[in-house]
Amino acid sequence: MYTFNPGPSQVYPQVRQYLLDSFDQGWLSAQHRGERFVQLMRETITELKNKLNIPQDYTIFFMSSATECWEVLVQSLTPTKSFHLYNGAFGEKWLDYAKAQRPASTGVQFGIDELPNLQNLPGLDEETDLVCITQNETSTATQLRDGAVLNIYNRLPGNALLAVDATSSMAGIQLKYIKGDIWYASVQKCFGLPAGLSVMLLSPRAIERMRKINERAHYNSLTAQYEKMLNFQTTHTPNVLGIYLLNRIIHDRPAIKVTHQHLVDRATKLYDYFDQATQLTPLITNPEARSTTVIGLKAPAPLIDEVKRRALAQGLQLGSGYGNWKPTSLRIANFPAIPDAAFEQLVQFFAREFA
Ligand SMILES: *Cc1c(COP(=O)(O)O)cnc(C)c1O
């Protein structure tokens, strides 16, 4: 059985052994103030920076989910308002969380086949603390390429910081972290691990802003987390098992450029195949807007149902569409933990039954 669900997604097969090791090595009762845990944190952060090409001067935080990252960014880095550019459900949810605490926050929605246009955006002005984008919108299977992110970064108004949701792309594709102030992801997507942990990166500029704002009203205020993180510690008992699993997988994975190329090649093949050969077509028609890590396909609702049902009967679990596209689309995760053999089976399935 393979799952192509874009989160929670297929975990690496090595996770089974890591879990046994974590038990045998006593990590499940490890002291989170002890030297052994501090060493684990230090090593995990070093390895994350090396393998993912994260600038050395960025600070890494561990939280519990991407949703917690949304909340913390609103609390601790948005004294006035944020501006959100989005085309799908996750980007919109982020805006909803922002508006709940900072009602002046606004957003502009762009079409799923469009690249965002930065001219004349209502609500984006000098008062904006944070410009928020979703690098890979899991719900619509779209992606902002490096050039699009750079464009936004180069046009930030006033002192605004650029915050990037990379939940379904970090650890799958190479990201230019230097062109963003804040990046985050949870581990149940491209990291190929069980849910319950997220990774957030802050540039030196974002850290400086955090210090200036100095927000301390919440248990997970960034300022307090930062102060603990200087000593590789956390404000509360953390997800030690999650951090241990992350440590093991990041140690065993190749450099991100290797994974990146692998996923790009696989995505190209899949899009080429679905562009021509089947009753289903890619949900996103503009090749520049298509995601590398989540492939959306569309077809009439009865056909989508039929495809999902027959695939499942053959051990292939496809991801459902999301939001407005739920009945007429499906999603296929192209995450690194899913082996090539699974994609071969998938393509054979479509060739045999839906060509
Ligand atoms: C999955 C996902 C989230 C939510 O992640 P949680 O860890 O469940 O909070 C947010 N943004 C994007 C783009 C996602 O794919």
Side-chain angles (χ1 to χ4, degrees):
M1 167 84 182
Y2 292 117
T3 178
F4 296 89
N5 206 30
S9 58
Q10 177 104 14
V11 299
Y12 284 104
Q14 295 95 307
V15 169
R16 182 174 187 277
Q17 187 58 48
Y18 301 161
L19 285 168
L20 294 172
D21 292 346
S22 73
F23 187 94
D24 293 344
Q25 295 170 13
W27 285 107
L28 303 188
S29 322
Q31 297 278 338
H32 66 290
R33 305 274 177 234
E35 182 50 37
R36 194 163 171 240
F37 175 72
V38 166
Q39 187 57 33
L40 178 74
M41 288 279 274
R42 188 184 289 131
E43 213 183 279
T44 309
I45 286 168
T46 304
E47 197 72 355
L48 270 173
K49 285 185 176 175
N50 288 341
K51 287 283 171 68
L52 299 186
N53 276 339
I54 297 166
Q56 289 301 328
D57 58 0
Y58 276 43
T59 304
I60 296 186
F61 296 85
F62 293 121
M63 297 189 206
S64 62
S65 63
T67 304
E68 188 184 3
C69 296
W70 288 336
E71 188 83 353
V72 166
L73 291 173
V74 179
Q75 286 167 189
S76 299
L77 281 170
T78 315
T80 307
K81 65 174 186 177
S82 50
F83 176 83
H84 302 246
L85 207 46
Y86 65 94
N87 78 358
F90 288 107
E92 190 171 15
K93 239 188 224 178
W94 188 0
L95 170 60
D96 290 342
Y97 279 97
K99 279 203 282 207
Q101 291 194 65
R102 305 287 184 265
S105 297
T106 54
V108 166
Q109 184 167 10
F110 59 98
I112 57 171
D113 275 306
E114 287 169 19
L115 303 183
N117 179 2
L118 290 168
Q119 281 5 175
N120 309 320
L121 291 172
L124 180 61
D125 57 34
E126 306 278 311
E127 303 274 275
T128 306
D129 299 305
L130 224 55
V131 172
C132 303
I133 57 175
T134 305
Q135 192 275 332
N136 198 75
E137 178 50 82
T138 321
S139 70
T140 52
T142 57
Q143 159 175 259
L144 296 173
R145 290 189 165 50
D146 289 344
V149 177
L150 180 63
N151 248 323
I152 297 167
Y153 189 66
N154 286 340
R155 286 165 205 218
L156 293 174
N159 290 319
L161 299 173
L162 180 61
V164 189
D165 182 339
T167 302
S168 53
S169 52
M170 187 186 288
I173 62 170
Q174 187 149 17
L175 296 164
K176 290 213 161 65
Y177 296 109
I178 196 92
K179 300 304 179 193
D181 296 292
I182 298 141
W183 299 79
Y184 58 84
S186 38
V187 301
Q188 74 275 18
K189 312 270 167 94
C190 284
F191 284 91
L193 295 172
L197 185 72
S198 64
V199 176
M200 185 156 87
L201 323 175
L202 260 67
S203 70
R205 201 164 85 102
I207 293 292
E208 193 191 307
R209 186 72 49 82
M210 174 210 77
R211 285 177 190 275
K212 214 162 118 194
I213 296 169
N214 196 29
E215 184 277 315
R216 291 174 183 274
H218 302 269
Y219 89 96
N220 54 1
S221 293
L222 210 47
T223 324
Q225 295 203 55
Y226 176 73
E227 286 165 356
K228 285 289 181 200
M229 210 55 185
L230 290 173
N231 297 315
F232 300 99
Q233 293 202 13
T234 51
T235 47
H236 51 280
T237 318
N239 181 352
V240 179
L241 174 60
I243 295 169
Y244 174 83
L245 296 175
L246 177 63
N247 174 286
R248 292 292 302 271
I249 203 63
I250 207 75
H251 181 267
D252 288 352
R253 292 295 301 160
I256 189 65
K257 66 169 197 284
V258 176
T259 306
H260 177 102
Q261 195 55 52
H262 184 203
L263 296 194
V264 168
D265 291 347
R266 250 179 10 192
T268 306
K269 275 192 213 152
L270 288 166
Y271 281 119
D272 283 351
Y273 179 73
F274 287 109
D275 266 332
Q276 298 168 10
T278 68
Q279 298 172 40
L280 293 89
T281 51
L283 174 64
I284 307 303
T285 47
N286 179 0
E288 282 303 299
R290 285 175 178 172
S291 165
T292 304
T293 52
V294 181
I295 312 253
L297 297 177
K298 67 174 175 214
L303 182 58
I304 291 289
D305 274 347
E306 177 81 2
V307 170
K308 284 197 295 194
R309 198 172 49 74
R310 274 156 67 175
L312 193 60
Q314 299 179 40
L316 303 168
Q317 184 183 39
L318 304 174
S320 292
Y322 202 98
N324 297 342
W325 286 275
K326 194 171 171 71
T328 54
S329 74
L330 55 82
R331 294 174 303 157
I332 298 171
N334 178 28
F335 291 169
I338 308 170
D340 288 344
F343 286 95
E344 279 155 27
Q345 268 192 39
L346 185 74
V347 169
Q348 280 164 18
F349 162 77
F350 278 104
R352 200 169 52 234
E353 311 208 9
F354 294 98

